[in-house]
Amino acid sequence: MREIVVFSGSAHRPLAGAICDALGVTLSGVDITRFSNDCLQAQLQANCRQRDVYIVQPLVPPTQEHLMELLLMVDAAKGASAAQITAVIPHYAYARSDKKDASRISLGGRLVADLLLTAGVTRVLTMTLHAPQVHGFFSVPVDHLTALGVLADHFQGQDLSDTVVVSPDLGNAKTATQFARLLGVPVAAGSKRRLADDRVVIDDIVGEVAGRRALVLDDEIATGGSIVELLDKLEDMGCTGASVACTHGLFVGKAVDRLRGHRMIDEVVTTDTVPPADWPELKVRSVAGLFAEAISRVHAGESISSMFDGVDPTLGPPQPRLPFPA
Protein backbone atom coordinates (compact mmCIF):
# COMPACT_ATOMS: atom_id res chain seq x y z
CA MET A 1 0.00 0.00 0.00
CA ARG A 2 3.05 2.31 -0.09
CA GLU A 3 1.99 3.96 -3.37
CA ILE A 4 -1.51 4.84 -2.08
CA VAL A 5 -2.05 8.35 -0.70
CA VAL A 6 -5.40 9.22 0.88
CA PHE A 7 -6.61 12.76 1.55
CA SER A 8 -9.84 14.08 3.01
CA GLY A 9 -11.65 17.37 2.81
CA SER A 10 -13.64 18.74 5.73
CA ALA A 11 -16.91 16.98 4.83
CA HIS A 12 -16.37 13.69 6.74
CA ARG A 13 -12.86 13.13 8.09
CA PRO A 14 -13.91 10.32 10.51
CA LEU A 15 -14.99 8.16 7.54
CA ALA A 16 -11.72 8.88 5.72
CA GLY A 17 -9.82 7.92 8.88
CA ALA A 18 -11.76 4.66 9.20
CA ILE A 19 -11.04 3.83 5.54
CA CYS A 20 -7.33 4.45 6.12
CA ASP A 21 -7.36 2.28 9.26
CA ALA A 22 -8.88 -0.58 7.25
CA LEU A 23 -6.29 -0.06 4.48
CA GLY A 24 -3.37 0.19 6.90
CA VAL A 25 -2.26 3.60 5.58
CA THR A 26 -2.01 7.04 7.17
CA LEU A 27 -4.54 9.72 6.30
CA SER A 28 -2.47 12.50 4.74
CA GLY A 29 -3.03 16.10 5.68
CA VAL A 30 -4.71 18.85 3.67
CA ASP A 31 -4.46 22.56 4.43
CA ILE A 32 -7.70 24.31 3.42
CA THR A 33 -7.31 28.09 3.55
CA ARG A 34 -10.04 30.71 3.21
CA PHE A 35 -8.92 34.13 2.03
CA SER A 36 -10.49 37.44 3.02
CA ASN A 37 -12.49 37.50 -0.24
CA ASP A 38 -14.04 34.09 0.73
CA CYS A 39 -12.03 32.15 -1.88
CA LEU A 40 -10.70 28.72 -0.88
CA GLN A 41 -7.25 27.24 -1.45
CA ALA A 42 -6.19 23.62 -0.90
CA GLN A 43 -2.63 22.45 -0.29
CA LEU A 44 -1.88 18.72 -0.03
CA GLN A 45 0.62 17.88 2.71
CA ALA A 46 2.03 14.63 1.24
CA ASN A 47 3.99 13.67 -1.88
CA CYS A 48 1.70 12.70 -4.77
CA ARG A 49 4.21 12.24 -7.59
CA GLN A 50 3.41 9.04 -9.50
CA ARG A 51 1.20 7.85 -6.63
CA ASP A 52 -2.40 6.63 -6.64
CA VAL A 53 -4.25 9.46 -4.92
CA TYR A 54 -7.67 8.95 -3.28
CA ILE A 55 -9.63 11.99 -2.08
CA VAL A 56 -12.54 11.23 0.26
CA GLN A 57 -15.29 13.84 0.21
CA PRO A 58 -19.05 13.17 0.36
CA LEU A 59 -21.13 16.04 -1.02
CA VAL A 60 -23.04 16.95 2.13
CA PRO A 61 -24.28 20.33 3.40
CA PRO A 62 -22.84 22.87 2.85
CA THR A 63 -22.70 20.98 -0.45
CA GLN A 64 -21.28 23.71 -2.67
CA GLU A 65 -18.50 24.39 -0.15
CA HIS A 66 -17.50 20.73 -0.03
CA LEU A 67 -17.73 20.39 -3.81
CA MET A 68 -15.31 23.30 -4.25
CA GLU A 69 -12.92 21.76 -1.71
CA LEU A 70 -12.99 18.52 -3.68
CA LEU A 71 -12.29 20.27 -6.99
CA LEU A 72 -9.37 22.20 -5.50
CA MET A 73 -7.85 19.07 -3.96
CA VAL A 74 -8.14 17.21 -7.28
CA ASP A 75 -6.50 20.14 -9.06
CA ALA A 76 -3.67 20.17 -6.49
CA ALA A 77 -3.08 16.43 -6.96
CA LYS A 78 -3.06 16.84 -10.74
CA GLY A 79 -0.52 19.64 -10.47
CA ALA A 80 1.59 17.45 -8.16
CA SER A 81 1.96 14.78 -10.91
CA ALA A 82 -0.27 12.11 -9.35
CA ALA A 83 -0.41 8.95 -11.46
CA GLN A 84 -4.15 8.46 -10.82
CA ILE A 85 -6.68 10.58 -8.97
CA THR A 86 -9.79 8.87 -7.60
CA ALA A 87 -12.58 10.97 -6.15
CA VAL A 88 -14.15 8.89 -3.37
CA ILE A 89 -17.63 10.42 -3.09
CA PRO A 90 -19.70 8.23 -0.73
CA HIS A 91 -22.70 10.52 -1.23
CA TYR A 92 -23.01 12.15 -4.68
CA ALA A 93 -25.69 14.72 -3.85
CA TYR A 94 -26.21 15.95 -7.41
CA ALA A 95 -27.43 12.52 -8.53
CA ARG A 96 -30.91 13.90 -7.82
CA SER A 97 -30.47 16.31 -10.74
CA ASP A 98 -30.31 13.61 -13.42
CA LYS A 99 -32.99 14.46 -15.99
CA LYS A 100 -34.87 17.30 -17.65
CA ASP A 101 -38.27 17.02 -15.94
CA ALA A 102 -39.22 20.70 -16.39
CA SER A 103 -38.57 23.34 -19.01
CA ARG A 104 -35.27 25.29 -18.88
CA ILE A 105 -33.95 23.26 -15.96
CA SER A 106 -30.30 22.54 -15.19
CA LEU A 107 -28.76 19.07 -15.07
CA GLY A 108 -26.55 19.39 -12.01
CA GLY A 109 -25.53 15.73 -12.01
CA ARG A 110 -23.89 16.03 -15.41
CA LEU A 111 -22.40 19.47 -14.70
CA VAL A 112 -20.68 18.26 -11.52
CA ALA A 113 -19.35 15.25 -13.43
CA ASP A 114 -17.89 17.61 -16.06
CA LEU A 115 -16.32 19.78 -13.34
CA LEU A 116 -14.64 16.76 -11.74
CA LEU A 117 -13.28 15.57 -15.10
CA THR A 118 -11.97 19.04 -15.93
CA ALA A 119 -10.26 19.25 -12.54
CA GLY A 120 -8.40 16.02 -13.29
CA VAL A 121 -10.30 13.06 -11.81
CA THR A 122 -9.38 9.75 -13.47
CA ARG A 123 -11.82 7.54 -11.54
CA VAL A 124 -14.86 7.94 -9.28
CA LEU A 125 -15.78 5.69 -6.36
CA THR A 126 -19.29 6.26 -5.00
CA MET A 127 -22.18 4.48 -3.28
CA THR A 128 -25.92 4.14 -3.95
CA LEU A 129 -26.52 6.83 -6.52
CA HIS A 130 -30.06 8.23 -6.34
CA ALA A 131 -30.29 7.56 -10.08
CA PRO A 132 -27.88 4.78 -11.17
CA GLN A 133 -27.72 6.13 -14.73
CA VAL A 134 -25.78 9.15 -13.40
CA HIS A 135 -22.57 7.14 -13.75
CA GLY A 136 -23.15 7.52 -17.50
CA PHE A 137 -22.43 11.24 -17.11
CA PHE A 138 -18.77 10.37 -16.54
CA SER A 139 -16.30 9.46 -19.28
CA VAL A 140 -13.94 7.93 -16.70
CA PRO A 141 -14.50 4.66 -14.80
CA VAL A 142 -17.11 4.81 -12.03
CA ASP A 143 -17.20 2.12 -9.33
CA HIS A 144 -20.72 2.14 -7.90
CA LEU A 145 -20.89 0.39 -4.52
CA THR A 146 -24.03 -0.68 -2.65
CA ALA A 147 -24.81 -0.80 1.06
CA LEU A 148 -27.61 -3.37 0.67
CA GLY A 149 -25.51 -6.15 2.19
CA VAL A 150 -24.44 -3.97 5.14
CA LEU A 151 -28.04 -2.94 5.88
CA ALA A 152 -29.34 -6.50 5.42
CA ASP A 153 -26.79 -7.78 7.96
CA HIS A 154 -28.37 -5.51 10.58
CA PHE A 155 -31.75 -7.24 10.23
CA GLN A 156 -30.58 -10.83 9.63
CA GLY A 157 -30.79 -11.88 13.30
CA GLN A 158 -34.29 -10.48 13.86
CA ASP A 159 -37.63 -12.27 13.63
CA LEU A 160 -38.80 -11.34 10.13
CA SER A 161 -41.71 -13.80 9.88
CA ASP A 162 -44.33 -11.03 9.56
CA THR A 163 -42.16 -8.41 7.86
CA VAL A 164 -42.55 -6.80 4.43
CA VAL A 165 -39.94 -4.55 2.77
CA VAL A 166 -41.59 -1.35 1.54
CA SER A 167 -40.17 1.08 -1.00
CA PRO A 168 -41.44 4.70 -0.75
CA ASP A 169 -41.88 4.83 -4.52
CA LEU A 170 -41.99 2.58 -7.57
CA GLY A 171 -38.65 3.91 -8.84
CA ASN A 172 -36.86 2.31 -5.89
CA ALA A 173 -38.90 -0.91 -6.09
CA LYS A 174 -36.18 -2.89 -7.89
CA THR A 175 -33.67 -2.17 -5.12
CA ALA A 176 -36.28 -2.94 -2.46
CA THR A 177 -37.01 -6.26 -4.19
CA GLN A 178 -33.32 -7.16 -4.04
CA PHE A 179 -33.21 -6.20 -0.36
CA ALA A 180 -36.30 -8.33 0.32
CA ARG A 181 -34.65 -11.27 -1.45
CA LEU A 182 -31.62 -10.99 0.83
CA LEU A 183 -33.90 -11.13 3.87
CA GLY A 184 -36.34 -13.70 2.48
CA VAL A 185 -39.44 -11.53 2.90
CA PRO A 186 -42.11 -10.08 0.54
CA VAL A 187 -41.97 -6.60 -0.92
CA ALA A 188 -44.37 -3.69 -1.45
CA ALA A 189 -44.05 -0.16 -2.87
CA GLY A 190 -45.75 3.18 -2.54
CA SER A 191 -47.22 5.10 -5.44
CA LYS A 192 -45.71 8.55 -4.84
CA ARG A 193 -46.31 11.97 -6.35
CA ARG A 194 -43.83 14.74 -5.47
CA LEU A 195 -45.40 18.17 -5.09
CA ALA A 196 -42.24 19.96 -3.91
CA ASP A 197 -38.78 19.18 -2.55
CA ASP A 198 -40.25 18.45 0.90
CA ARG A 199 -43.87 17.63 -0.01
CA VAL A 200 -45.10 14.32 -1.41
CA VAL A 201 -48.36 12.40 -1.63
CA ILE A 202 -48.57 8.59 -1.36
CA ASP A 203 -51.70 7.62 -3.31
CA ASP A 204 -51.59 3.88 -2.68
CA ILE A 205 -49.43 0.93 -1.61
CA VAL A 206 -48.81 -1.84 -4.13
CA GLY A 207 -48.51 -5.10 -2.20
CA GLU A 208 -49.92 -6.72 0.95
CA VAL A 209 -49.04 -4.86 4.16
CA ALA A 210 -52.06 -5.39 6.44
CA GLY A 211 -51.12 -7.10 9.70
CA ARG A 212 -47.40 -6.94 8.87
CA ARG A 213 -44.43 -4.98 10.18
CA ALA A 214 -42.87 -2.73 7.52
CA LEU A 215 -39.17 -2.41 6.79
CA VAL A 216 -39.01 0.84 4.83
CA LEU A 217 -35.96 1.07 2.55
CA ASP A 218 -34.83 4.27 0.83
CA ASP A 219 -31.56 5.39 -0.71
CA GLU A 220 -31.56 8.79 1.03
CA ILE A 221 -33.53 10.53 3.76
CA ALA A 222 -33.24 14.32 3.79
CA THR A 223 -36.27 16.05 5.34
CA GLY A 224 -38.14 12.82 6.07
CA GLY A 225 -41.29 14.02 4.33
CA SER A 226 -41.64 10.98 2.06
CA ILE A 227 -41.05 8.55 4.93
CA VAL A 228 -43.65 10.17 7.22
CA GLU A 229 -46.22 10.28 4.42
CA LEU A 230 -45.54 6.61 3.66
CA LEU A 231 -45.78 5.58 7.33
CA ASP A 232 -49.14 7.34 7.69
CA LYS A 233 -50.44 5.48 4.63
CA LEU A 234 -49.08 2.16 5.95
CA GLU A 235 -50.83 2.73 9.27
CA ASP A 236 -54.11 3.43 7.47
CA MET A 237 -53.71 0.13 5.60
CA GLY A 238 -53.22 -1.91 8.78
CA CYS A 239 -49.45 -2.07 9.15
CA THR A 240 -48.45 -2.82 12.77
CA GLY A 241 -45.10 -0.99 13.00
CA ALA A 242 -42.01 -0.09 11.03
CA SER A 243 -38.24 0.01 10.87
CA VAL A 244 -36.59 2.52 8.53
CA ALA A 245 -33.32 1.87 6.69
CA CYS A 246 -31.41 4.09 4.28
CA THR A 247 -27.89 4.42 2.90
CA HIS A 248 -27.55 8.20 3.14
CA GLY A 249 -29.03 9.54 6.39
CA LEU A 250 -28.82 13.31 5.90
CA PHE A 251 -31.72 14.12 8.26
CA VAL A 252 -31.81 17.86 7.55
CA GLY A 253 -34.36 20.42 8.76
CA LYS A 254 -37.04 18.85 10.97
CA ALA A 255 -36.27 15.28 9.87
CA VAL A 256 -35.00 14.04 13.24
CA ASP A 257 -38.03 15.44 15.12
CA ARG A 258 -40.40 14.02 12.50
CA LEU A 259 -38.99 10.51 12.65
CA ARG A 260 -37.95 10.36 16.31
CA GLY A 261 -41.46 10.95 17.58
CA HIS A 262 -43.39 8.98 14.97
CA ARG A 263 -45.64 6.37 16.59
CA MET A 264 -44.98 3.76 13.89
CA ILE A 265 -41.15 3.72 14.00
CA ASP A 266 -39.28 1.17 16.12
CA GLU A 267 -35.76 1.94 14.81
CA VAL A 268 -33.91 3.89 12.14
CA VAL A 269 -30.76 2.43 10.55
CA THR A 270 -28.35 4.20 8.23
CA THR A 271 -24.68 4.10 7.19
CA ASP A 272 -21.78 6.49 7.71
CA THR A 273 -21.55 7.71 4.10
CA VAL A 274 -22.45 11.10 5.61
CA PRO A 275 -21.69 12.48 9.12
CA PRO A 276 -24.25 11.02 11.56
CA ALA A 277 -27.05 13.26 12.81
CA ASP A 278 -27.28 14.32 16.47
CA TRP A 279 -29.61 11.44 17.30
CA PRO A 280 -28.50 9.00 20.04
CA GLU A 281 -31.05 6.33 19.07
CA LEU A 282 -29.93 6.31 15.42
CA LYS A 283 -28.17 3.07 14.47
CA VAL A 284 -25.22 3.64 12.14
CA ARG A 285 -23.54 0.84 10.18
CA SER A 286 -20.09 1.58 8.79
CA VAL A 287 -19.25 1.23 5.11
CA ALA A 288 -15.57 2.15 5.63
CA GLY A 289 -14.58 -1.50 5.14
CA LEU A 290 -16.37 -1.65 1.78
CA PHE A 291 -14.63 1.49 0.53
CA ALA A 292 -11.26 0.25 1.81
CA GLU A 293 -11.73 -3.08 0.04
CA ALA A 294 -12.74 -1.29 -3.17
CA ILE A 295 -9.69 0.99 -3.01
CA SER A 296 -7.43 -2.00 -2.39
CA ARG A 297 -8.91 -3.84 -5.39
CA VAL A 298 -8.67 -0.80 -7.67
CA HIS A 299 -5.02 -0.37 -6.71
CA ALA A 300 -4.29 -4.06 -7.31
CA GLY A 301 -6.24 -4.22 -10.57
CA GLU A 302 -8.78 -6.70 -9.16
CA SER A 303 -12.53 -7.02 -9.67
CA ILE A 304 -14.89 -4.70 -7.80
CA SER A 305 -18.06 -6.42 -9.00
CA SER A 306 -17.14 -9.70 -7.28
CA MET A 307 -17.51 -7.88 -3.94
CA PHE A 308 -21.27 -7.95 -4.52
CA ASP A 309 -21.71 -11.45 -5.86
CA GLY A 310 -24.97 -12.65 -4.33
CA VAL A 311 -25.87 -9.18 -3.02
CA ASP A 312 -26.98 -7.28 -6.10
CA PRO A 313 -26.83 -8.83 -9.58
CA THR A 314 -26.80 -5.39 -11.24
CA LEU A 315 -23.40 -4.74 -9.63
CA GLY A 316 -22.13 -8.32 -9.64
CA PRO A 317 -20.16 -10.24 -12.27
CA PRO A 318 -21.67 -10.81 -15.74
CA GLN A 319 -24.25 -13.57 -15.80
CA PRO A 320 -23.75 -16.61 -18.11
CA ARG A 321 -25.67 -16.48 -21.38
CA LEU A 322 -27.66 -19.25 -22.96
CA PRO A 323 -25.83 -20.75 -25.95
CA PHE A 324 -27.45 -20.02 -29.29
CA PRO A 325 -27.09 -22.28 -32.34
CA ALA A 326 -24.84 -20.99 -35.09
Side-chain angles (χ1 to χ4, degrees), residues 84-325:
Q84 294 188 80
I85 305 170
T86 301
V88 181
I89 312 174
H91 175 52
Y92 187 78
Y94 278 94
R96 282 185 171 275
S97 180
D98 66 306
K99 58 187 176 296
K100 186 174 180 181
D101 52 4
S103 60
R104 298 177 297 281
I105 197 167
S106 60
L107 290 177
R110 187 182 64 190
L111 175 61
V112 171
D114 291 344
L115 289 170
L116 288 166
L117 295 179
T118 300
V121 163
T122 56
R123 180 182 291 271
V124 173
L125 184 57
T126 188
M127 176 170 277
T128 312
L129 290 167
H130 180 72
Q133 66 269 20
V134 165
H135 70 222
F137 292 161
F138 291 89
S139 57
V140 295
V142 176
D143 293 308
H144 185 201
L145 311 185
T146 178
L148 280 187
V150 172
L151 293 173
D153 285 345
H154 176 83
F155 296 99
Q156 288 288 359
Q158 301 182 14
D159 179 11
L160 301 176
S161 55
D162 62 345
T163 299
V164 56
V165 170
V166 183
S167 169
D169 55 68
L170 298 174
N172 194 52
K174 184 176 180 180
T175 302
T177 300
Q178 191 60 30
F179 190 63
R181 185 192 67 79
L182 292 175
L183 296 175
V185 299
V187 65
S191 175
K192 182 173 77 174
R193 288 185 295 120
R194 182 168 292 280
L195 305 180
D197 179 50
D198 59 348
R199 290 178 56 220
V200 299
V201 173
I202 306 290
D203 295 317
D204 199 4
I205 304 292
V206 180
E208 183 57 50
V209 298
R212 295 179 179 269
R213 176 175 168 270
L215 203 174
V216 178
L217 176 73
D218 208 353
D219 63 317
E220 173 188 329
I221 298 178
T223 64
S226 296
I227 300 298
V228 169
E229 182 74 17
L230 176 65
L231 291 172
D232 292 344
K233 188 68 175 180
L234 287 170
E235 187 178 27
D236 292 342
M237 296 184 70
C239 209
T240 59
S243 294
V244 177
C246 68
T247 300
H248 310 298
L250 293 171
F251 304 118
V252 297
K254 298 179 180 179
V256 173
D257 293 335
R258 282 175 169 174
L259 300 177
R260 197 179 206 172
H262 200 283
R263 59 195 172 278
M264 285 281 287
I265 295 179
D266 301 320
E267 64 176 345
V268 178
V269 184
T270 187
T271 75
D272 58 353
T273 57
V274 303
D278 184 14
W279 185 357
E281 300 88 353
L282 181 67
K283 297 178 180 177
V284 181
R285 306 280 299 199
S286 181
V287 292
L290 273 179
F291 277 99
E293 178 66 17
I295 289 172
S296 179
R297 291 185 180 215
V298 168
H299 183 65
E302 297 174 351
S303 170
I304 298 291
S305 63
S306 59
M307 291 172 58
F308 305 106
D309 191 14
V311 175
D312 189 341
T314 61
L315 302 178
Q319 299 299 306
R321 305 285 185 179
L322 290 173
F324 290 96

